[in-house]
Amino acid sequence: MSEFSWKIGGEAGYGIMTTGFILGKSFVRAGFFVFDTNEYPSLIRGGHNTYTVRISEDPVFSHSKKIDILVALTDIAIEKHKKEVRKDGFIIYDEGFVNVKELKGINLIPVPLTKIAIEKGGQNIMRNNVALGASFALIDVDPEILYDAIRDTFKGKKGEDIAQTNINVAKAGYEYVLEKFQNINKIKIKSNGKQKRMYINGNEAIAIGAIKAGCKFYAAYPMTPASSILHYLASKENDYNIIVKQTEDEIAAIHMAIGASFAGVRAMTGTSGGGFSLMTEALGLAAITETPLVVVLAQRPGPSTGLPTHTEQGDLRFAMHASNGEFPRVIVAPGDVNECFYETFNAFNIAEKYQLPVIIITDKFLAESHATTDPFFIDGMKIDRGQLLSEDKAKNIQDYKRYENTISGISLRALPSQENTIFKAATDEHDEYGRLSEEPADRIIQVDKRFRKMKVLETEIDGAKFYGDKDAEVIIVSWGSTKGPILEAMKLLHKKDIKVGFLQILYIIPFPVNKTKSFLEDAKKKILIENNKTGQLGSVIKEKTGIDMDYKILKYDGRPFTPEEIVSQIEEVLIHDKL
Amino acid sequence: MSEFSWKIGGEAGYGIMTTGFILGKSFVRAGFFVFDTNEYPSLIRGGHNTYTVRISEDPVFSHSKKIDILVALTDIAIEKHKKEVRKDGFIIYDEGFVNVKELKGINLIPVPLTKIAIEKGGQNIMRNNVALGASFALIDVDPEILYDAIRDTFKGKKGEDIAQTNINVAKAGYEYVLEKFQNINKIKIKSNGKQKRMYINGNEAIAIGAIKAGCKFYAAYPMTPASSILHYLASKENDYNIIVKQTEDEIAAIHMAIGASFAGVRAMTGTSGGGFSLMTEALGLAAITETPLVVVLAQRPGPSTGLPTHTEQGDLRFAMHASNGEFPRVIVAPGDVNECFYETFNAFNIAEKYQLPVIIITDKFLAESHATTDPFFIDGMKIDRGQLLSEDKAKNIQDYKRYENTISGISLRALPSQENTIFKAATDEHDEYGRLSEEPADRIIQVDKRFRKMKVLETEIDGAKFYGDKDAEVIIVSWGSTKGPILEAMKLLHKKDIKVGFLQILYIIPFPVNKTKSFLEDAKKKILIENNKTGQLGSVIKEKTGIDMDYKILKYDGRPFTPEEIVSQIEEVLIHDKL
Amino acid sequence: MTSFEELTTKERPTWCPGCGDWGILTALKKALVELNLPKHQVVVVAGIGCSGHLPQWINTYAFHSLHGRALPVAQAIKLANHELNVIAVGGDGDGYGIGMGHFIHAMRRNVNITYIVHDNQIYGLTTGQASPTSEKGFKTKSTPHGQIEPPVNPIALALSADCSFVARGFAGDVPHLVKLIVQGIQHKGFALIDVLQPCVTFNYLNTFDYFYRRIYKLEEDSSYDPTNKQEAFKRAFEWGERIPIGLFYKENRKTYEDELPQISQMPLVKQKIDFVDIKNLIEEMC
Amino acid sequence: MTSFEELTTKERPTWCPGCGDWGILTALKKALVELNLPKHQVVVVAGIGCSGHLPQWINTYAFHSLHGRALPVAQAIKLANHELNVIAVGGDGDGYGIGMGHFIHAMRRNVNITYIVHDNQIYGLTTGQASPTSEKGFKTKSTPHGQIEPPVNPIALALSADCSFVARGFAGDVPHLVKLIVQGIQHKGFALIDVLQPCVTFNYLNTFDYFYRRIYKLEEDSSYDPTNKQEAFKRAFEWGERIPIGLFYKENRKTYEDELPQISQMPLVKQKIDFVDIKNLIEEMC
Ligand SMILES: Cc1ncc(C[n+]2csc(CCOP(=O)(O)OP(=O)(O)O)c2C)c(N)n1
Ligand SMILES: Cc1ncc(C[n+]2csc(CCOP(=O)(O)OP(=O)(O)O)c2C)c(N)n1
Ligand code: SF4
Ligand code: SF4
Ligand SMILES: [Mg+2]
Ligand SMILES: [Mg+2]
């Protein structure tokens, strides 16, 4: 076995998130590849939470359906997840609190988690650490990697003493299982040697990408699953001199970002669908005033409040067409944490070079799932502020036209406080100086000028990536966070000797028309995979290329795909030629 | 000559609108067909306003490019519009205030408008009435129709005396021209007999449609060009027991409409693009709570504030995809005042039958242009409230499920105050009772249920109309207010023996896929006509049918098409096969 | 007779054990019992937040609206059917943050509804960011270096915005809160009841204990006259060692509904729409 | 030396002749002259309305934003470059209607900007609907049977919302208004100047004459102490036979910027971003 998956399930509000993260982190430190994902309801305590961690000797890009070790803190956890446990897998449960009848083909590992926690640590909530220790007793690795990770996690926040108590509790769990269950067949997994890797989720990657891009102003209103960008940046505001502002609402947030950008600093806002709805009017404001702007749209299932803590890719078309009137915008849809980082950095360059709004669209699954990756490679990342006038240059300018009708459509951008470049930025249509104008000629000039920027942009951006076999019988097309499960599914299909190609649409706007055509036109079976009901990317492909997808694999229950689901549906297509 | 066009141009804020309207109205009363349109800048006084009235013996559906009589109150009016005056046409101008050098082929009619106004009426502003009288002296009709229309207009608002003064002033203008310009060739036009016709604009037609539909609650925030719906309904609030509420913003407006509808009354809101942006979040609220809702979106050119008093069709895609998440909605795009009336009425029925939001999309050109039409034929218009539970029925219900998973997707709708049907309407995803649920099964049931309604709806709605010749070489496709200019262009082309067909897409959602395909699939030259930059309907047709338009006639300078523009562009296509 | 039991749903609230929200729900149900309001004639409208979950657990009609938008929905429900008893609930972020504009305008409008704000001085449901009522210096996930802005003062704002019934309750004193809610519902006009509601999970500062040590009741001060606005302003700014709860201010003025001839005969919802005669309107256009 | 002429644009305002907006523009320009502020270091931010057109006609940097949104834009400009002088202008509908939420929150936030509200008690640019400050009973296009709601009271709201400088001017008294604007700009913190601004086209009630007969200046009442909030409240509610103008209230407290270590050395906009070192952040993730 070169990998295994571990899952913990229990009530919300009892530290499950931290527990899962520690487990993942300890394996990352030991040189393994890890992917985790969580699931929790929209309430603070109670309800059912899970945290799933997949650990592998080789790179992994998503969770998988089968669980090797389930830690059940409640009866519900057993009920909901026992089916996911693989044959001969393990269920560790809180003896005395959780009731399990024998389960065929599964090794039950009753451990008095709470009892041990109280004995050794004094607090109920430490039972999670007992469970961590108990888990390690089922895996053939040195538990020191766990104790180190626990120490690191608690030391900073709570001090050395508390850290030690937590470790003691974990040790107690480890030893309990070791002693009681001596005959079990431990999970065997071997690290290919320690290697420094990051263990990071999409939101963190975006936040760090923004910091690297010189973002100096982040205004936002809390909204799951975008909130942790706000939290992360706020925690770094003094280290990096960033003004991080929680505003009275999303309308204020985006207007503040625009104001800051107008004044000359790189600025961003972030939200989820409901907040994005409130921001739509201001998108047009950024567009017509040609103020650079970066907006993160972390999707969750709608409509409306929907399933606030779950995942979906339901806002693609909305992002493409949000706001009244017509104007160019860029939409980038990162598919993993690396793309979150690098594309956020790029987004700031694009926003400034082309003086328009850039939307980074993600979703809860990408935003909150941690993955391992090599430390970001930052050499050569270059800030490009485009046609931004330096103080010096601005001094020598005469008859400055902020909205000059240039060939590229891009005009010189001055900043308030520069002496010779006083101008008006206006949301009304205007002439080249920015003065209000309702003349048909000015109108046409400005509309055309704004759209012309896209022509240049299109040549600069390669909006799609291809993975796998170009001549494969099956070509998958998808976007965003489904990338991980699809790549994993391809591995599984490969083992079954099924050849698959995968076209990832990275930029929705400008849409990679030619590349899409070239990969799809001759494909035998084109399969669309989206985490939504209506196959929105499919409609965009049809609109832009005329190509119909042959099959659609869609999921809209608020949960991300597992690789296995994708595999079985593709097999359906191949065997029964239907879906 | 069976028709003529009259235009007045002058500064904003000096009664030009009323003047043009009176002229039109007097001809309507006399049995003519009339179409008018206005143009004004986004400021209150000064700036340049025009009002164009086209009068015809036969039905007319839009203004035309050529003007027979121009009334110029300012120099600018001459400058801007002299080219529009046809050969041997007339320019009446305010002698002493406006300067004109001789203009070849045009009859100059200097009249001391202001002077006469002051002499006969005492007020500057009455010069418009002098101009009206003067205009009538150039037309071979009985000026009594003018005096009647003036009397009607002023009597109600300002009293009999003022009305008489206004008439006297007009008479003075009439007589002045009659006496001074005895040799002119009067415009000859003959009514086919008096016939009662309405002279109404799109907003008024919508408002009356809503009243007829039993709309009891209208909440809105002022925004050009939607505001006059608010004004009209407010003026009738006590006659028809409608609560008309100007709210603090558009967000409140749409939420109020939704609240009122939830409580059981038919409710509507109306706005333009910027306000619609602010309403997007609540569209999803209406959708997931399945609360009937009618929203009027009267477009104006964007992005952002754009050209607030001009016209454009730039919000189609936005209306289709506004709000986070995926849900069914209906979008109807009336093309004339009749469709404004009847489709608004239908919109309320659809909203209640299918319990979803219906968007009526218009634009400034349709909203504010008056046209003649037969009195609305109201016999047989039937209110259909769908699955709305009566008090009686509600009493006998047990285990009421507001969001029951029915075959049609439509569930019984109870109202607060009914005894046995207490339920929760929630913007979170829910089970059949309306209780919050994050279960995948409930999620799928509710998403599918909501979308299933569209299947039923599709069978009920015929979303396209066809005009002209089915086998024509050229098939035009368009939507909304371009209908009038296109129909007029078809008349002109007909005279040139060019056969044209015109497919009007009336319902954008549900899109008339089959009908569109059947009319376009074999068409030789498919021409898209839209009042926007990007050809949005074209993209929708491509997306839904795969069909590419061969040519696009697009206009995005904030002004509506004239029939002549369309004709000349279609001739381009036919002659040069290019555009 | 409306009973506490019939107002109680089968589902149990999912609020954290010990949360102030429990007390508010109990108080609201008790108030409805005391007023003997038939449950089907009550509509509870909520925003989004922990507070916004409340209507799920009271057996009346409910509309769980959007974050910050309880008030416009609630007002319109009342206008459409003024025979209903409409109670809006929400959080401090919901009502005083994103919903601030509606809040101010609803008060001057004076539609006859009751607005209960679960004021926990924190964003609960989004796991602990600063709220508009968070105290200056308060450290949260979004203000790890301390909140800079001083908190909004809902009581003072209400007094300035022509609110006709301004009160503050405490989730830790249910009997007192019941009385306020009863009075608020009985009041003809817009009634604001700001409720101090400790969030036991994220607000480590404004705890039950914090309030027990500070609050006093205005009605126990016999010199206090809740019809005197200037006096009310003075108390509105009292926040520190002593924190007043109770009725700050009350005035009788016409409700918005009182001024609508459209509904003087019967509620809008009862008016027939099957055949609306528009002949006159058509005539006017001819 | 900044001169009136250099602040004057070639284009002439398109406001109606006689409109109060002319006086406000003149006063603003005079104030900038008096303060000798270099024109390129001033940014005027506006909402949408007749009032919102103002920045077009003053030769400084300008951002003509969306209806109701001048304040968030203005605050952020100041935060991004606090060496700029930022002046926000807008209408009563703009600022107290659709923009109410931002208004209240901006005041407590206390970013050092000046906010001038053209308060004509009507929606001008949309041709005459009721505004939040329209008087009760006022008939407009949207309230043909008379406005039902009592007007909002911006002065009282500002006092309740912790505004550190609260004043009211009159467009018909430019010298007095100049003084207020000068003081407002000099004030360190958020300064509100509500300006009574007759709309000669749509507001037939609140005319220049209406105000000439009613207004008096607070500074001429020697007993008036603009640091006493309770006194300020009393005057805030004075509206009828006598209407006070002048400075209602002023207090010195830290601005928002004062509390930001991020910009204590230099404005954000001057900070280099070419090479931001994120090694630590990467390290923390490993
Ligand atoms: C438009 C929008 N923005 C943000 C959110 C996310 N959100 C949900 S609840 C909440 C705030 C909760 O705080 P509060 O209103 O004080 O209620 P509490 O949970 O404390 O009761 C936020 C920001 C949302 N649902 N909608
Ligand atoms: C979101 C949005 N809603 C509505 C409008 C239309 N609109 C433009 S100006 C205005 C109100 C003008 O009134 P006020 O703010 O008092 O300014 P004034 O014209 O009186 O100076 C409105 C409603 C808009 N531009 N944007
Ligand atoms: S998070 Fe706070 S407000 Fe929310 S339920 Fe828990 S204790 Fe109550
Ligand atoms: S409409 Fe009123 S506010 Fe607008 S410019 Fe004219 S007078 Fe001034
Ligand atoms: Mg709260
Ligand atoms: Mg105004």
Side-chain angles (χ1 to χ4, degrees), chain C residues 51 91-94 118-125 131 133 197 199:
Chain C
S51 43
D92 44 337
D94 192 71
H118 301 223
D119 188 354
N120 56 8
Q121 304 173 255
I122 192 87
Y123 282 19
L125 193 60
S131 98
T133 51
Q197 173 249 315
C199 164

Side-chain angles (χ1 to χ4, degrees), chain A residues 10-217:
Chain A
E11 271 186 39
Y14 293 97
I16 282 182
M17 300 295 169
T18 318
T19 307
F21 182 78
I22 291 174
L23 183 108
K25 188 91 177 183
S26 54
F27 282 98
V28 174
R29 292 275 178 81
F32 293 93
F33 294 87
V34 179
F35 184 94
D36 74 30
T37 190
N38 60 34
E39 190 175 317
Y40 55 96
S42 178
L43 45 90
I44 303 305
R45 297 222 200 135
H48 182 65
N49 270 29
T50 68
Y51 202 101
T52 308
V53 188
R54 181 175 176 191
I55 291 124
S56 171
E57 296 172 5
D58 307 306
V60 272
F61 309 113
S62 89
H63 59 310
S64 109
K65 199 175 166 188
K66 281 287 163 210
I67 299 301
D68 299 87
I69 303 176
L70 172 67
V71 176
L73 300 178
T74 57
D75 288 344
I76 297 174
I78 303 269
E79 214 43 58
K80 288 213 167 197
H81 307 297
K82 62 184 179 198
K83 287 222 177 100
E84 298 164 23
V85 181
R86 70 153 160 87
K87 191 164 171 307
D88 297 330
F90 305 92
I91 297 182
I92 298 172
Y93 62 93
D94 195 357
E95 195 175 17
F97 289 87
V98 176
N99 301 307
V100 199
K101 292 201 206 86
E102 203 176 318
L103 287 168
K104 240 181 77 182
I106 292 177
N107 298 302
L108 292 183
I109 313 286
V111 182
L113 302 173
T114 307
K115 195 162 150 252
I116 295 177
I118 291 173
E119 278 172 24
K120 301 280 163 170
Q123 285 181 352
N124 264 354
I125 201 171
M126 287 190 186
R127 68 175 161 222
N128 296 350
N129 289 317
V130 183
L132 280 177
S135 301
F136 267 73
L138 305 177
I139 311 163
D140 192 12
V141 287
D142 183 353
E144 279 303 325
I145 61 172
L146 171 65
Y147 308 145
D148 285 352
I150 295 179
R151 185 173 297 111
D152 271 20
T153 306
F154 289 99
K155 206 176 54 186
K157 281 194 235 161
K158 319 238 169 171
E160 186 73 57
D161 277 8
I162 305 246
Q164 192 54 50
T165 314
N166 276 290
I167 292 169
N168 294 344
V169 164
K171 278 192 177 149
Y174 183 77
E175 278 150 18
Y176 181 90
V177 173
L178 221 54
E179 186 169 320
K180 277 258 182 171
F181 303 92
Q182 300 196 349
N183 292 332
I184 57 163
N185 216 337
K186 279 200 186 189
I187 292 174
K188 293 207 170 37
I189 188 160
K190 222 178 68 219
S191 158
N192 296 319
K194 282 198 190 181
Q195 167 96 31
K196 193 173 233 167
R197 290 205 189 88
M198 302 171 75
Y199 184 44
I200 189 171
N201 69 25
N203 275 352
E204 289 161 345
I206 286 174
I208 297 178
I211 293 175
K212 178 67 194 159
C215 176
K216 287 273 146 203
F217 194 94

Side-chain angles (χ1 to χ4, degrees), chain A residues 481-524:
Chain A
S481 74
T482 49
K483 179 179 182 176
I486 290 170
L487 291 177
E488 290 293 330
M490 286 169 75
K491 288 195 221 161
L492 297 176
L493 288 164
H494 191 79
K495 283 190 196 147
K496 299 183 177 201
D497 269 336
I498 299 174
K499 280 193 185 172
V500 177
F502 166 37
L503 182 68
Q504 179 201 3
I505 307 293
L506 182 60
Y507 278 77
I508 310 296
I509 302 180
F511 190 81
V513 175
N514 295 333
K515 204 159 176 181
T516 303
K517 276 192 187 160
S518 77
F519 280 101
L520 294 189
E521 250 161 5
D522 301 323
K524 275 179 232 134

Side-chain angles (χ1 to χ4, degrees), chain D residues 230-248:
Chain D
Q230 292 298 329
E231 278 304 307
F233 268 117
K234 280 194 194 137
R235 304 288 180 142
F237 288 101
E238 218 180 335
W239 184 279
E241 286 316 296
R242 280 164 60 81
I243 297 174
I245 62 171
L247 179 63
F248 283 75

Side-chain angles (χ1 to χ4, degrees), chain B residues 14 42-45 221-224 227 230-231 234-238 244-250 278 304-305, chain D residues 14 16-17 48 50 53 66-67 69 93 97-98 123-127 129-130 141-142 144-145 149 200-202:
Chain B
Y14 294 97
S42 180
L43 44 88
I44 302 305
R45 295 221 200 134
Y221 188 77
M223 187 160 201
T224 308
S227 306
L230 170 65
H231 305 159
S235 75
K236 304 295 177 194
E237 61 186 353
N238 292 344
V244 178
K245 186 79 207 84
Q246 179 186 333
T247 51
E248 57 271 27
D249 60 16
E250 288 89 350
L278 293 170
S304 204
T305 312
Chain D
T14 55
C16 305
I48 300 291
C50 291
H53 286 152
L66 286 170
H67 187 45
R69 316 301 171 199
I98 193 167
Y123 282 19
L125 193 60
T126 45
T127 74
Q129 298 85 6
K141 281 187 183 161
S142 59
H145 307 102
E149 291 154 43
V200 297
T201 299
F202 297 112

Side-chain angles (χ1 to χ4, degrees), chain D residues 51 91-94 118-124 131 197:
Chain D
S51 43
D92 43 337
D94 192 71
H118 301 223
D119 188 354
N120 56 8
Q121 303 174 257
I122 192 88
Y123 282 19
S131 98
Q197 173 249 315

